[in-house]
Each structure stands twice: as C-alpha cells, then as structure tokens.
C-alpha cells in the first residue's frame, strides 16, 4: 500500500511541475531557503557549538581539586602532561571584610606568566624582574598596595574591563607564601577531541591519584543538555518560515485536487488521500532539505562561516542528519491545519466544486 501511495505521490509531483511550473519552483525555492535558515540558526543557537567556535576557556581546561601541597615541580609536571598545554593556573580565595565591595578575592598565579590565557586592557603579565618579587596586578579600583592574608603586595599594574575580584601574583610568590590552593587548572591552547580528552584525563589521574579532576567534556555535556531549548527556538523560526510557503503547496494541491475527488468517488478513504499528500510533502521537503545540506556544506567556509554570529561553528554529519529529519517532520506538522480543513470537506462538496 505504501508503495502505491509513493508512486501516486511521485506522479502528482510531476503533475505539479508540469502544470504549475512557476508556483512549484517558488515552493521549492522557499523550502530550500527555509532549510538553510534552519541550518544557520541551529548551529548558532546551540550553546556547545557557540563555545566551540569561540574556543571557550572552560572547554579546554582540566581542573584538579584536593588537599595537596603543590610544588613548582608538580605544576611543571602538570603542564607537561599534555602536548597542547598553554598554561597552568593556581587559584586561592581570600575572604575580605564586610566593608569591602566584594566578599571574596580570587588570587591567581600562572606558571607561564599568563601565556595567552586572559586578554584584557592593562597589564596582562609580569616582567622578569617582577616575577622574582612580591607584587600584584589588581583591578583599577585597588590602590598602590594590597594586603593578602598579612602580606603586603605592591600593585605594579592594573586590569581594566576585567573581573573586579581577581588579583594576579607571580607563581613563585604564590608558592612561597603557601597559599592554600582551591584548584589547579591545566589550560590547553585548543579544545581537545573526546579521544584526546580521555587520554589526558588518564595521564593526570596517574600523575595525581589523590586529586579529583573535572575535564572539559563535563562542561561540554552540561551545555549540550541545554540544546533542546535551542532546537525548539530554531524549530519555531522554521515553522514560521515554512508556513508561508506551504500556502503555495496548498495552492498546488487545490489546483490539481480533481484526482482527490476521483479517489473519493471510487471509494478511497480520506486517510489514503492524506497519506499521499504527506508523502508528496515529505519527498519535496526532503529533497529541499538535502539540497540545503549539500549547499551549506559546500559553501560553509567561503560563505556561511563568514556570516555566522559566532564564527566557524562546527557542523558534523550527525548535525546535518538531524536537521534533515527535523525539517521534514516540521514541514509535516505545519501541513496539519491544511489537511484538517480537507478532512472536514465531504466528497459531494468537493464534487460540486469541480462541476461549477
């Protein structure tokens, strides 16, 4: 039965193309453009894809927790655990008085002197001489010195347009004054693949067995759990877009619906006619979605990567397959109001329409 319906659907599509070529081409063009817009908004609305395109810091950071007396050698071993390591960051939280603007101050130190981790206005790293001293780079609201747990740190530079509760000190001062470490982070230069992530995680677990480790893919999976919201928003945009072009499809069906009357008069159930209409739209929207996917993949770097909101958002084969299926299903969902109106009409009423 499905095979017969599919053959009839193909024959009706050929009739649409022959008798109403302009309307048919406009509908196909609209379906392709709607599918392209779905692909565009899909990539730019996914939290994980946005962060991947921006090389998000949390997506390339391994964080180690635990009570351990870290030494310079430990930090260097941590840095050398991954070939793509950028820097190692140590953090300590200092509680401030109730009169302070911020209740806590995050004291941070970099093994490689902030080797491209943070970019902001102001002084971003220490000079070779400053690395040997007790000094600090603090927010612009801080004066000439800063007291950190009883030790006075002269402020040698200021951060501007950055977190107002973060202070940087040289890594040697951090270790010499034995600040307790809240966490130690291994920061990579690029986001690792899942295989690379697991390999580095195994290496760190072997080097520092007494610590608990949060790997980048925990952040990625947390963002992926929020993706259904992005898919829902993108689907809404697609539905609004495709509805306007479905009026063209409805016009094609009405202009060539004499066959539907014949089917009804010879005893065909309305469900069979509806099934044929759904197959027609599935074939048309599927063809448009496939063409849109091929165009998007072929023109991604020269065109779509340039107009993306977040740069080179990564698209995989799985993303294209998902977008293909969603566009077909959403098109069928948008067709429901038109089919409902058809189901309410009797065969006699449709016959009278063609006898006028």
């Amino acid at each position: 039965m499905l095979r017969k319906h599919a053959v009839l659907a193909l024959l009706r599509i050929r009739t649409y193309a022959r008798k109403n070529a302009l309307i048919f081409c406009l509908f196909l063009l609209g379906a392709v453009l709607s599918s392209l817009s779905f692909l565009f908004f899909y990539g730019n609305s996914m939290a994980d894809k946005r962060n991947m395109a921006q090389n998000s810091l949390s997506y390339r950071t391994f964080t180690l927790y635990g009570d351990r007396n870290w030494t310079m050698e430990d930090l260097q071993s941590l840095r050398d655990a991954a070939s793509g390591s950028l820097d190692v960051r140590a953090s300590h939280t200092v509680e401030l008085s109730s009169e302070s603007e911020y209740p806590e101050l995050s004291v941070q130190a970099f093994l490689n002197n902030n080797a491209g981790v943070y970019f902001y206005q102001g002084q971003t790293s220490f000079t070779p001489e400053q690395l040997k001293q007790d000094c600090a780079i603090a927010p612009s609201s801080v004066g000439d010195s800063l007291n950190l747990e009883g030790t006075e740190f002269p402020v040698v530079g200021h951060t501007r347009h950055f977190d107002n509760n973060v202070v940087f000190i040289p890594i040697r001062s951090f270790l010499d004054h034995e600040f307790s470490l809240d966490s130690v982070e291994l920061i990579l230069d690029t986001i690792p693949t899942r295989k690379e992530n697991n390999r580095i995680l195994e290496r760190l677990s072997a080097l520092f067995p007494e610590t608990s480790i949060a790997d980048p893919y925990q952040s990625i999976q947390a963002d992926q759990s929020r993706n259904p919201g992005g898919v829902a928003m993108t689907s809404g945009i697609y539905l609004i877009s495709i509805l306007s072009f479905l009026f063209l499809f409805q016009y094609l069906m009405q202009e060539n619906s004499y066959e539907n009357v014949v089917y009804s008069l010879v005893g065909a159930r309305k469900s069979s006619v509806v099934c044929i209409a759904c197959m027609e739209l599935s074939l048309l929207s599927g063809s448009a979605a496939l063409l849109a996917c091929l165009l998007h993949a072929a023109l991604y770097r020269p065109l779509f990567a340039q107009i993306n909101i977040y740069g080179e958002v990564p698209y995989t084969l799985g993303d294209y397959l998902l977008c293909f299926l969603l566009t077909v299903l959403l098109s069928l969902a948008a067709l429901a109001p038109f089919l409902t109106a058809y189901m309410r009409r009797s065969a006699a009423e449709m016959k009278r329409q063609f006898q006028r």
Side-chain angles (χ1 to χ4, degrees):
M1 183 65 70
L2 286 176
R3 183 179 178 183
K4 291 181 180 178
H5 288 170
V7 171
L8 287 172
L10 286 170
L11 290 173
R12 284 161 66 101
I13 289 173
R14 189 172 66 180
T15 301
Y16 296 157
R18 188 178 67 251
K19 289 187 176 181
N20 302 88
L22 178 60
I23 301 298
F24 181 76
C25 289
L26 286 175
F27 170 74
L28 279 183
L29 178 61
V32 171
L33 291 176
S34 296
S35 297
L36 282 173
S37 69
F38 185 92
L39 283 164
F40 174 82
F41 286 108
Y42 170 85
N44 286 276
S45 64
M46 301 294 106
D48 60 318
K49 292 187 176 298
R50 292 199 307 265
N51 287 328
M52 284 183 180
Q54 295 172 314
N55 199 31
S56 173
L57 187 62
S58 63
Y59 280 21
R60 49 191 173 95
T61 299
F62 290 83
T63 306
L64 288 77
Y65 304 95
D67 295 330
R68 178 189 175 89
N69 294 322
W70 289 86
T71 65
M72 186 69 74
E73 290 72 22
D74 291 333
L75 297 178
Q76 290 170 346
S77 297
L78 178 60
R79 177 193 58 195
D80 298 337
S83 57
S85 62
L86 182 65
D87 210 336
V88 172
R89 178 174 58 187
S91 301
H92 169 69
T93 300
V94 174
E95 293 186 3
L96 302 178
S97 62
S98 57
E99 293 81 12
S100 302
E101 183 180 357
Y102 298 95
E104 294 180 339
L105 197 64
S106 177
V107 180
Q108 301 182 11
F110 289 96
L111 181 64
N112 292 344
N113 197 18
N114 187 23
V117 177
Y118 285 140
F119 298 94
Y120 53 82
Q121 293 181 12
Q123 185 171 334
T124 57
S125 60
F126 296 98
T127 66
E129 293 76 19
Q130 291 170 349
L131 286 173
K132 302 173 185 177
Q133 306 168 5
D134 287 343
C135 56
I137 298 174
S140 55
S141 58
V142 176
D144 295 332
S145 65
L146 186 66
N147 189 289
L148 299 175
E149 297 187 346
T151 303
E152 202 72 22
F153 283 78
V155 175
V156 295
H158 289 93
T159 61
R160 293 192 296 275
H161 303 292
F162 190 64
D163 291 339
N164 289 326
N165 63 334
V166 174
V167 171
F168 300 107
I169 64 173
I171 188 65
R172 196 165 296 279
S173 290
F174 193 102
L175 297 176
D176 288 346
H177 290 284
E178 298 182 348
F179 287 119
S180 60
L181 276 73
D182 299 328
S183 64
V184 176
E185 296 167 314
L186 171 63
I187 302 168
L188 307 183
D189 53 359
T190 58
I191 299 171
T193 64
R194 190 60 182 268
K195 186 176 180 180
E196 291 170 343
N197 179 90
N198 293 340
R199 186 167 58 246
I200 295 171
L201 189 59
E202 290 177 3
R203 195 173 303 150
L204 295 181
S205 298
L207 283 171
F208 308 102
E210 72 283 7
T211 61
S212 59
I213 305 172
D215 65 292
Y217 269 80
Q218 293 183 22
S219 297
I220 294 174
Q221 288 170 343
D223 282 342
Q224 287 175 341
S225 67
R226 303 203 306 268
N227 280 350
V231 172
M233 182 191 73
T234 305
S235 298
I237 294 172
Y238 177 78
L239 282 173
I240 294 171
S241 173
I242 197 65
L243 269 174
S244 59
F245 295 105
L246 281 179
F247 281 103
L248 295 176
F249 182 70
Q250 184 193 30
Y251 174 82
L252 289 172
M253 289 179 62
Q254 288 177 343
E255 286 295 302
N256 300 278
S257 59
Y258 179 72
E259 293 179 24
N260 294 345
V261 177
V262 174
Y263 294 157
S264 299
L265 291 176
V266 298
R269 292 178 298 180
K270 283 190 175 182
S271 59
S272 296
V273 179
V274 168
C275 182
I276 294 171
C278 289
M279 283 192 172
E280 291 174 34
L281 185 59
S282 296
L283 290 169
L284 290 172
S285 61
S287 300
L290 178 60
L291 179 58
C293 288
L294 293 174
L295 284 173
H296 189 273
L299 300 175
Y300 184 72
R301 287 190 179 276
L303 176 60
F304 293 103
Q306 310 303 319
I307 63 175
N308 274 340
I309 302 171
Y310 299 101
E312 282 203 34
V313 177
Y315 285 82
T316 64
L317 178 60
D319 292 322
Y320 285 114
L321 289 175
L322 177 61
C323 290
F324 174 85
L325 291 173
L326 283 175
T327 51
V328 174
L329 292 175
L330 289 169
S331 298
L332 291 174
L335 185 64
F338 302 103
L339 294 179
T340 301
Y342 166 77
M343 291 288 286
R344 290 176 177 173
R345 300 176 66 189
S346 64
E349 183 182 353
M350 290 187 290
K351 181 181 177 183
R352 286 196 298 271
Q353 178 184 349
F354 285 97
Q355 287 176 340
R356 293 172 183 171

